[in-house]
Amino acid sequence: MLFAVLCTDKPNALQLRMDTRPEHIAFIDELNAKGGLAFAGPFLDDAGKPNGSLVVIRAETIEEARAIAAADPYAKAGLFAQVDIRPWNWVFNKPEA
């Protein structure tokens, strides 16, 4: 099952994001290697700077999706003001289709 993890950064947290980025990228790479990542990328503000994240993951349950999201170094560093996790159905332009 797919879950969309929608994250909003805390205000003025760009430096924290940049400082934590190498660990976050390693986490995402490992998740991808294990088959748990569908796709991911940052949301951008009006200046084109990252201010949140969209990570779509494969998990069996919402609890597993929450555990994966909580293990992200960005989450552990306290980057996010808000995290919303929702079951998601990839219908259009799905690579496997």
Side-chain angles (χ1 to χ4, degrees), residues 53-92:
S53 299
L54 169 62
V55 182
V56 178
I57 58 176
R58 293 178 184 89
E60 293 296 318
T61 64
I62 188 86
E63 291 79 16
E64 182 184 353
R66 287 182 183 133
I68 292 168
D72 186 322
Y74 279 167
K76 288 181 172 184
L79 175 63
F80 302 128
Q82 181 177 346
V83 176
D84 188 21
I85 302 173
R86 299 180 187 185
W88 188 67
N89 184 22
W90 194 344
V91 176
F92 297 101

Side-chain angles (χ1 to χ4, degrees), residues 6 43 49:
L6 300 114
F43 291 112
K49 303 287 185 190

Side-chain angles (χ1 to χ4, degrees), residues 4-51:
V5 182
L6 300 114
C7 308
T8 304
D9 291 3
K10 291 179 179 175
N12 304 310
L14 182 57
Q15 190 60 54
L16 176 59
R17 174 179 277 273
M18 301 317 295
D19 291 346
T20 313
R21 189 171 189 276
E23 293 86 2
H24 168 74
I25 295 299
F27 174 81
I28 292 295
D29 284 344
E30 183 178 338
L31 185 62
N32 189 44
K34 293 178 179 178
L37 179 70
F39 59 87
F43 291 112
L44 305 175
D45 65 15
D46 292 340
K49 303 287 185 190
N51 67 354

